Amino acid sequence: MELADWLLTPGERGNPATRVDRRHPGGAAWSTGNEVTPLVHGAVYFGRLLTAIRAQRAGDLLLFTDWRGDPDEPLAGPGSEIGEVLCDAARRGVVVKGLVWRSHLDRFQFSEEENYHLGEEIEEAGGECLLDMRVRPGGSHHQKFVVLRHPGRPEHDIAFAGGIDLCHSRHDDGAHRGDPLSQPMSPAYGPRPPWHDLQLAVRGPAVGDIEATFRERWQDPAPLSRSPFSRVRSLLRHEDTRADPLPDQPPDPAPRGPHTVQVLRTYPWRRQGYPFAPEGERSIARGYVKALRRARALIYLEDQYLWSTAVAAHFARALADSPQLRMIAVLPAVPDQEGRISTPMNLLGRVQALDLLRRAGGDRVGVYSLENHAGTPVYVHAKVCVIDDVWASVGSDNVNRRSWTHDSELSCAVVDETRDPRTPDDPGGLGDGARAFARELRLALNLEHLDGDPAGDALALCDPERVFHAFAASAAALDRWHDAGRHGPRPPGRLRTYRTPRLSRGQAALADPLYRLIADPDGRPRSLRRRDAY
């Protein structure tokens, strides 16, 4: 298999200013020899993160970015609150540096005060955490990763990257009973909303690529905010607004596994551009578009949104071009916030996207939501895509125009050099084979949603057609049980058929400008918008 068939070459990233690709020997745009482990659920990730941070010593580096940070969120029970864990590391002499989105005002359901307090605690302990608002108007820094480096002990180096923030609502496990500390959400999710999410643990040379992404943002000389209001408030609060120098970046960890990792990002075009992305970067979008052109058997997607016809068009084109291709999408049953204005705004892009996909793929498109065994909907916050059991992507990015063009995002595309011998051993029929990482990731998620037995059901679920029908049958059985008043034993599984909501023409017309301006804006320069290119 040629990696360049699935992954972006250096010229295809579209951002020659970044140092990420320049770091690789031989001009490659990816790093080989990595060991990547999926951490499904916040509880699993938080436990691994806590162990790794507590093992750090004086002189080690802890670098993190986040969209929201709640200092009182426990990683693993009392005494493991994230603020205290980071502060304790700083007091031990670990070099702790953080970049957290400054956020919009709390009255708009954002996290201004929480992010400020996390940064304040870390600064008092001797670390440094900056509130970063170098974004487009209405934009955010949405990257969620942690890098732990150990000079002199590189075998311990690790990076965590994906969709899980260090905040309330994220500490859930496979039972999906929710996080005791939860954010306000739609009443449909109950007082303790169940939460489905995913993070990667990355070891090997790709740790250096993720660290380079942090360093590019940290070393940006632009002010953290151009808003006069924010700058005055920072002055009154005595906030740290200048990044202190970082120690030199250590050499990359040695190769240790079979996984090729390509770090993909989104940065918007801005009038005062980023020095590391003066025209922005849309390598996440480009990575998806390239991989989708090779899809032949199954696109498996879990996503918080799945909005925008411009984005869904690339999935629809793959479905139209390949008559045997199927697509499974797992989405939230309802938006996280409900209101007379916000609900139509949040649904419009999905309604349009699903209509486009179904016109292209017909009954080859299956769309589902999740519930726990008590019947409470599970909020799907995961951002994962697996194509033909070869290419897998996990990151902070959703499948929508905002994530592909407007906010800062980071994703890891993973291709395994190890072939999976189970039938079908080449689902796409292009000679690429099935690859162990992508297939095992998909199976782990499929088995959870189906309440399947890893020993007895995994072999059958390797087949794209059989897993497609297994999802449909499981959801139909659970739907019938609910429709019949929930009498008798509950059928196994957690899948419900996603019922596409209906919006009146008036609702759609009123929601459209808000959807385009607020919910799903476009961060591309005008030249790319005109060509609908990335």
Side-chain angles (χ1 to χ4, degrees), residues 15-36:
N15 178 20
T18 181
R19 73 180 73 164
V20 170
D21 288 345
R22 296 199 301 269
R23 305 175 61 260
H24 300 134
W30 51 74
S31 64
T32 58
N34 300 286
E35 177 188 321
V36 183

Side-chain angles (χ1 to χ4, degrees), residues 25 64 133 147 174 180 197 210 374 419 438 448 474 486 495 510:
F64 74 96
M133 200 61 172
V147 178
D197 223 331
I210 299 171
R419 294 184 71 139
E448 176 181 312
S474 180
R486 300 170 55 147
L495 293 162
L510 290 172

Side-chain angles (χ1 to χ4, degrees), residues 69-83:
D70 287 307
D72 61 340
E73 176 68 15
L75 294 178
S80 66
E81 290 76 14
I82 184 60

Side-chain angles (χ1 to χ4, degrees), residues 39-83:
L39 306 177
V40 184
H41 311 306
V44 177
Y45 166 44
F46 283 178
R48 284 285 301 273
L49 179 63
L50 177 64
T51 299
I53 293 176
R54 284 182 169 169
Q56 288 197 290
R57 306 173 184 171
D60 292 345
L61 275 72
L62 190 166
L63 314 174
F64 74 96
T65 67
D66 215 346
W67 178 81
R68 177 187 174 111
D70 287 307
D72 61 340
E73 176 68 15
L75 294 178
S80 66
E81 290 76 14
I82 184 60

Side-chain angles (χ1 to χ4, degrees), residues 278-327:
E279 299 298 319
E281 180 178 323
R282 292 156 293 278
S283 57
I284 288 174
R286 291 174 173 221
Y288 262 96
V289 170
K290 184 169 187 176
L292 285 167
R293 291 188 189 125
R294 209 161 173 82
R296 297 294 185 275
L298 179 65
I299 300 168
Y300 180 77
L301 178 72
E302 294 187 0
D303 197 75
Q304 184 182 4
Y305 294 123
L306 184 50
W307 288 350
S308 171
T309 53
V311 171
H314 298 284
F315 293 81
R317 188 172 299 118
L319 288 162
D321 290 346
S322 298
Q324 302 304 313
L325 178 62
R326 294 174 171 84
M327 179 174 177

Side-chain angles (χ1 to χ4, degrees), residues 51 56 211 219 249 277 303 326 350 436 439 482 529:
T51 299
Q56 288 197 290
E211 180 180 354
Q219 293 165 350
Q249 181 165 346
D303 197 75
R326 294 174 171 84
R350 179 177 295 172
R439 176 167 279 177
H482 278 282
R529 293 189 203 187

